[in-house]
Amino acid sequence: MNEREIGEIRRHLRRDRSNMTEIFGCYVNGQKEIVSEFRESMGILPENESDKYFGFLRRVLSGTIGKNLIDITFRTSQVADSEEHRNLMKLRDGGLRDEAFRTAFFRKIIDSVSMEDQYLILVGTDTYDVPFKSRDDVTQADNSGEVYRYALCAICPVKQTKSALHYIPEEKTFRDGGIMQTVSAPVLGFLFPAFDDRATNLYNALYYTKDVTTNQDALTDVLFRTRMPLPADQQKKSFGALLVDALEGECSMNVVQNVHDQICQRIALHKESKVPDTLMVSKEEVKGILSESGVNEQHLAKFSVEYDQVFGLEADLHPKNIVDSRHFEIRTPDVSIKVDPTRSDLIETRVIGGVKYIMICADQEIEVNGISIHVDEG
């Protein structure tokens, strides 16, 4: 799913637009015990309460694609016949009204999710009459040729507040409100099926995680049974380690600069083009950059093999997960140098008299601790 498609569903998820008639909930304590289960009818809930439920579900469709929002792709065999896909289909089709299915579904999440505190599982199902869009991107709301049916799940921490005084209007005074259990924004969730090309895609789902350092592997395994990409926070470190190991002595300043610059150029061009599809970088593209940088065939072959081992066979990567387009930094044990990423060409390495040096072109004004200094040409 791309940003436009995610945004379209998020905008639909409002009390006055959605066809979601009920939301199922399961409140779980820190010992993985079910405290309560409930079923809320959106039609009879007070407006402020229903808005809050919709708000929690909308948050599952927020964040950065490739970091917080991760595309899940099912194998053809899974879609044809697998327990995990059947469960997701039944969930979408209102299966939580079946008490046995509801208990089993909640129990799978409870047994696999890693949460230190108590939390709330929220699940809602909805239908969206997808309005037709003409070639000039004009929406025709009264003309729909596609009905998108989906399930949305949010897992929200429940935090215990401190006891505090609060004002009682009827008494015109302050009283101790006691300790309360309040629901926080979701930290995990998923959408099934995906909404690709503004249509139902049963071969994909969208997984949400607030924490980009972990994927909750046990949870994703029980829900999807498919290999997840490395967490976004780990991809940059893994990519850097892969270059070091695979290229060995050819992992030079020039090579790393070129990889960084070329991927940053792709990010900038994609942003300028305003193409809605998510930008991805393939293994072959990275190999092409390495080849242009002078890396030999032996090291390219090693890179190819190790890439598949680290990221998955022929996996594409989100470029912002492997390079930082806003920073270019060089470090030694004693020195850290930050450079405008568009001017990494100012840096080079040299060996002078057997000693390694980092050379910085500094033909403009130079400041040290905010003080302009003069460089003696002699």
Side-chain angles (χ1 to χ4, degrees):
M1 292 178 65
N2 61 42
E3 290 182 1
R4 288 186 184 178
E5 292 158 347
I6 292 170
E8 185 171 349
I9 300 304
R10 190 168 57 231
R11 287 189 296 273
H12 170 72
L13 269 171
R14 298 185 181 277
R15 182 180 53 83
D16 56 343
R17 299 178 186 176
S18 172
N19 296 305
M20 190 177 292
T21 58
E22 58 191 1
I23 290 178
F24 291 85
C26 180
Y27 179 27
V28 185
N29 65 20
Q31 289 73 49
K32 292 183 175 289
E33 299 168 334
I34 296 177
V35 178
S36 69
E37 290 186 34
F38 58 87
R39 176 180 176 180
E40 294 285 8
S41 173
M42 294 296 99
I44 62 176
L45 269 185
E47 182 177 322
N48 63 325
E49 291 184 20
S50 62
D51 283 344
K52 285 182 171 59
Y53 279 115
F54 277 113
F56 289 133
L57 292 176
R58 277 198 306 275
R59 288 294 290 270
V60 173
L61 301 178
S62 62
T64 303
I65 295 175
K67 290 182 181 285
N68 310 102
L69 296 169
I70 301 167
D71 274 317
I72 304 296
T73 301
F74 297 102
R75 300 182 301 277
T76 302
S77 58
Q78 285 182 285
V79 177
D81 183 24
S82 69
E83 180 184 356
E84 61 275 6
H85 202 272
R86 283 195 299 273
N87 286 337
L88 291 171
M89 290 293 288
K90 186 168 183 178
L91 182 72
R92 181 196 72 159
D93 296 334
L96 290 188
R97 297 190 186 98
D98 179 337
E99 183 178 354
F101 177 79
R102 182 172 67 248
T103 300
F105 174 77
F106 285 146
R107 197 70 249 175
K108 282 182 178 180
I109 291 180
I110 294 166
D111 291 341
S112 58
V113 75
S114 177
M115 298 272 283
E116 294 182 1
D117 300 319
Q118 49 204 352
Y119 58 92
L120 176 64
I121 306 171
L122 294 175
V123 182
T125 58
D126 195 8
T127 58
Y128 173 44
D129 293 324
V130 184
F132 176 78
K133 274 191 177 182
S134 61
R135 290 184 178 180
D136 53 0
D137 212 29
V138 175
T139 300
Q140 300 176 10
D142 58 348
N143 184 4
S144 174
E146 167 82 14
V147 177
Y148 172 56
R149 293 187 296 127
Y150 62 95
L152 195 57
C153 175
I155 301 176
C156 310
V158 176
K159 302 292 180 67
Q160 183 171 284
T161 64
K162 293 182 179 179
S163 179
L165 293 175
H166 71 283
Y167 185 66
I168 308 295
E170 297 81 5
E171 300 179 15
K172 296 184 178 180
T173 188
F174 287 85
R175 301 292 184 198
D176 186 356
I179 296 174
M180 300 178 64
Q181 311 293 332
T182 61
V183 183
S184 300
V187 295
L188 296 165
F190 69 88
L191 168 76
F192 175 83
F195 184 60
D196 288 326
D197 296 325
R198 305 187 69 243
T200 302
N201 180 5
L202 298 176
Y203 286 80
N204 283 74
L206 190 67
Y207 175 66
Y208 168 78
T209 176
K210 182 179 179 182
D211 183 359
V212 298
T213 65
T214 179
N215 276 339
Q216 292 269 357
D217 291 336
L219 175 64
T220 57
D221 184 60
V222 77
L223 289 174
F224 311 122
R225 301 288 183 192
T226 188
R227 177 172 177 170
M228 295 285 290
L230 285 174
D233 193 54
Q234 295 181 25
Q235 287 185 28
K236 188 172 186 293
K237 295 176 183 177
S238 298
F239 184 75
L242 171 61
L243 290 178
V244 171
D245 187 65
L247 305 189
E248 300 175 337
E250 286 194 297
C251 189
S252 64
M253 171 71 79
N254 176 62
V255 170
V256 174
Q257 275 181 312
N258 207 21
V259 170
H260 182 274
D261 291 348
Q262 294 236 22
I263 292 179
C264 286
Q265 287 174 21
R266 284 166 167 77
I267 294 172
L269 289 172
H270 182 265
K271 185 176 180 179
E272 290 175 8
S273 69
K274 298 183 179 180
V275 174
D277 293 336
T278 303
L279 176 64
M280 304 293 286
V281 175
S282 69
K283 178 180 73 174
E284 293 305 316
E285 285 182 284
V286 179
K287 283 179 65 179
I289 296 171
L290 295 176
S291 179
E292 291 173 9
S293 304
V295 175
N296 66 41
E297 289 297 327
Q298 181 182 353
H299 286 151
L300 289 176
K302 187 177 181 182
F303 172 84
S304 184
V305 171
E306 294 188 6
Y307 180 101
D308 290 341
Q309 293 172 349
V310 173
F311 296 110
L313 186 63
E314 303 297 334
D316 292 342
L317 301 176
H318 290 265
K320 290 184 179 180
N321 287 354
I322 57 175
V323 300
D324 188 339
S325 60
R326 294 173 296 179
H327 299 93
F328 189 86
E329 185 175 12
I330 302 163
R331 285 186 181 180
T332 74
D334 303 308
V335 177
S336 177
I337 304 169
K338 293 183 179 179
V339 185
D340 182 336
T342 64
R343 294 309 314 272
S344 64
D345 59 296
L346 297 175
I347 309 295
E348 62 177 295
T349 56
R350 287 188 190 177
V351 177
I352 303 174
V355 180
K356 299 174 184 176
Y357 288 92
I358 300 169
M359 311 294 289
I360 306 172
C361 178
D363 58 355
Q364 297 182 22
E365 183 179 359
I366 304 172
E367 289 187 359
V368 177
N369 293 333
I371 302 171
S372 295
I373 65 168
H374 173 72
V375 178
D376 188 349
E377 295 185 4

